[in-house]
Amino acid sequence: MNQVQKLLIIGFVWPEPNSSAAGGRMMQLISLFKAQGFSISFASPAQDSDFMVDLQEYEVEKESIQLNNSSFDVFVKELNPDVVLFDRFMMEEQFGWRVAENCPDALRLLDTEDLHCLRLARQKAFKENHSFIATDLFVEEVAKREIASILRCDLSLMISEFEMELLESTFKIDISILYYLPFLLKPIDAAEIQELPVFEERRDFVFIGNFLHEPNWNAVQYLKETIWPLIKKLLPEAVLNVYGAYPSQKVLQLHNKKEGFLILGRAIDAKEVVQEARVVLAPLRFGAGIKGKLLEAMQCGTPSVTTTIGSEAMHGDLPWNGFITDDVADFVDAAVQLYQDKAIWHKAQKNGLKIINQRYSKGLFESSFRIKIEFLRSNLPQHRLNNFMGSMLQHHTLKSTKYMSRWIEEKNK
């Protein structure tokens, strides 16, 4: 009789699918491994939060773990997982060497979420007012840490084809340790499209995004200071509803009823507020990965106006769910067109539904991912031999990280 395979996920935070795209992504991965018959434990050093998902509802064991503490060694040895999934490179840095030492035969996966070094380098280029170029990444300290983490893992899950190409061309990472696995969504059928609110039933513009994420805060400032006043001049009755988890005082201060710029905080049901809106605005000026807010807009049948950064790696050769532009005047013009012209709006909506079904339908990825995991588990020694850079980094950083962690542990006693 086959033994049940065990997956250990080491989470940076507890999943909050209603607060961020990262939380939604994590729940999709849990569902993917559940379908493969894995029993799953989710461990995190993070504090519990009011909005975290109840993992027990999904038959996932919840474990609190500590940083720089050998109690983790006892826990992981006892669990003896077949596969370990690190949620972002910071968790691999903290716990990767302990997993390698205590469970050497476990397949080590990294879910990158987005390339942190790319997001930070673009943010820096934006703040310093120069165009981002790939070699900017070489001076980014986070890049050195993140690339080392990717090399040490057996496989890194990437949600963006652009980022995969960047890792291959700029950092010369071998494709054998990278795997394209975007957001995994349920396809949308004709009956569901019929149930969506029609053009006439919708009103207002909407922006939605977690405010702990710097690109979102920057986009809201850009809307407030530059874009929204121009839209408001052309559409005096228009309202922009700004939703997002964890708004700080500086975010709340932007609320202005007279200007039709409303800061509404956390959305109880994000899909509902996006479905009721006529147009999503997402003028993102830096960032990385795939934008959950724009996929959600497509799922809700709500056209969007965004930037090249916003739409990056999202739609392949398919036409966008609205308009893509980095020019302020064009952005305003596109927003007004979508808001007023039913024919343009309908065409944009159809484009979005096509993108979901042709690029993000989970059925496109489930079986090939299962085959990849099975292949790696059967050929792990050879796969690791082929990844010499990874073995070398594992050897050296295991030592340095290990002794630094041991020192912190002693200091904390």
Side-chain angles (χ1 to χ4, degrees):
M1 195 173 141
N2 282 348
Q3 216 181 352
V4 175
Q5 297 187 94
K6 287 187 268 189
L7 166 71
L8 169 63
I9 301 172
I10 303 178
F12 180 61
V13 290
W14 302 107
E16 289 187 25
N18 294 327
S19 300
S20 70
R25 159 74 164 183
M26 183 48 72
M27 297 315 293
Q28 290 163 14
L29 292 176
I30 286 172
S31 159
L32 199 59
F33 279 100
K34 272 265 167 234
Q36 289 185 31
F38 278 83
S39 84
I40 304 175
S41 299
F42 192 107
S44 178
Q47 298 285 317
D48 284 9
S49 81
D50 294 340
F51 302 99
M52 61 193 263
V53 89
D54 182 359
L55 289 165
Q56 283 176 317
E57 268 184 36
Y58 296 86
E59 298 174 335
V60 173
E61 288 293 319
K62 177 181 180 284
E63 302 283 348
S64 286
I65 51 176
Q66 286 179 286
L67 298 171
N68 304 307
N69 195 306
S70 46
S71 59
F72 177 82
D73 304 347
V74 178
F75 158 71
V76 80
K77 211 167 197 167
E78 206 172 283
L79 182 67
N80 193 24
D82 301 281
V83 180
V84 176
L85 173 68
F86 301 102
D87 165 30
R88 290 167 258 207
F89 79 91
M90 299 81 91
M91 291 297 96
E92 189 280 333
E93 274 185 336
Q94 285 286 345
F95 297 100
W97 66 272
R98 292 183 185 273
V99 170
E101 209 169 67
N102 292 289
C103 307
D105 299 329
L107 178 68
R108 297 189 297 272
L109 306 178
L110 172 65
D111 187 39
T112 55
E113 291 290 354
D114 61 16
L115 270 187
H116 292 63
C117 59
L118 175 62
R119 173 158 43 85
L120 293 169
R122 280 176 168 166
Q123 185 174 328
K124 194 172 168 190
F126 172 78
K127 296 267 162 82
E128 292 171 0
N129 202 22
H130 68 80
S131 294
F132 166 80
I133 50 170
T135 49
D136 288 347
L137 292 163
F138 295 152
V139 295
E140 193 60 57
E141 191 231 334
V142 167
K144 297 173 180 71
R145 294 168 55 199
E146 192 166 22
I147 300 305
S149 188
I150 286 168
L151 285 164
R152 283 192 299 264
C153 287
D154 299 312
L155 195 69
S156 288
L157 309 181
M158 309 296 301
I159 60 171
S160 160
E161 293 149 314
F162 172 84
E163 290 174 12
M164 280 184 76
E165 284 164 24
L166 185 77
L167 288 173
E168 281 183 82
S169 59
T170 304
F171 293 105
K172 312 297 181 220
I173 305 276
D174 196 285
I175 192 66
S176 66
I177 61 168
L178 302 175
Y179 191 82
Y180 177 59
L181 192 70
F183 285 111
L184 307 162
L185 307 175
K186 194 169 76 64
I188 298 165
D189 61 28
E192 285 172 282
I193 294 166
Q194 294 300 314
E195 284 170 25
L196 293 170
V198 296
F199 179 83
E200 292 81 3
E201 291 171 336
R202 295 168 180 252
R203 51 180 301 184
D204 303 338
F205 293 88
V206 71
F207 173 90
I208 192 161
N210 187 319
F211 285 110
L212 297 178
H213 195 56
E214 185 66 25
N216 289 334
W217 161 232
N218 180 270
V220 169
Q221 286 176 293
Y222 189 31
L223 280 165
K224 170 77 174 176
E225 293 159 15
T226 308
I227 294 168
W228 185 247
L230 298 171
I231 293 174
K232 190 72 174 163
K233 204 176 273 182
L234 296 168
L235 298 171
E237 301 304 308
V239 170
L240 173 58
N241 297 313
V242 178
Y243 289 93
Y246 305 107
S248 64
Q249 197 49 44
K250 64 183 180 180
V251 177
L252 297 170
Q253 279 171 352
L254 300 182
H255 181 86
N256 190 316
K257 205 168 179 183
K258 201 168 131 232
E259 292 171 8
F261 196 93
L262 309 183
I263 304 288
L264 300 166
R266 179 185 291 273
I268 295 160
D269 184 337
K271 276 204 162 63
E272 192 180 304
V273 302
V274 175
Q275 241 175 52
E276 287 171 356
R278 196 175 282 180
V279 179
V280 165
L281 301 179
L284 298 158
R285 294 188 283 186
F286 51 85
I290 282 176
K291 314 305 176 291
K293 63 172 74 48
L294 293 170
L295 278 183
E296 190 167 61
M298 294 176 202
Q299 287 176 298
C300 295
T302 312
S304 63
V305 189
T306 190
T307 55
T308 45
I309 292 271
S311 65
E312 182 177 270
M314 286 191 67
H315 59 118
D317 299 327
L318 298 171
W320 186 250
N321 170 47
F323 294 95
I324 301 163
T325 177
D326 297 321
D327 179 81
V328 172
D330 290 346
F331 194 100
V332 170
D333 183 50
V336 172
Q337 267 194 69
L338 276 175
Y339 200 78
Q340 291 184 318
D341 192 316
K342 188 176 171 178
I344 292 173
W345 188 91
H346 265 295
K347 193 178 174 197
Q349 184 188 62
K350 278 184 185 161
N351 290 345
L353 298 169
K354 199 179 278 185
I355 291 168
I356 293 287
N357 288 345
Q358 292 187 18
R359 283 184 61 82
Y360 299 97
S361 176
K362 65 178 180 182
L364 299 170
F365 302 97
E366 282 172 317
S367 64
S368 49
F369 182 63
R370 189 190 71 246
I371 291 162
K372 182 73 176 179
I373 295 300
E374 284 169 1
F375 174 80
L376 287 178
R377 292 209 53 227
S378 307
N379 297 276
L380 200 50
Q382 186 58 48
H383 178 74
R384 285 179 177 167
L385 262 180
N386 296 344
N387 179 17
F388 177 75
M389 294 296 282
S391 307
M392 183 179 70
L393 277 169
Q394 190 69 260
H395 172 79
H396 288 292
T397 51
L398 194 142
K399 299 273 189 296
S400 59
T401 319
K402 174 180 175 176
Y403 292 115
M404 170 59 94
S405 188
R406 292 270 188 251
W407 179 77
I408 294 169
E409 191 174 354
E410 283 304 312
K411 198 164 84 61
N412 289 343
K413 276 179 184 173

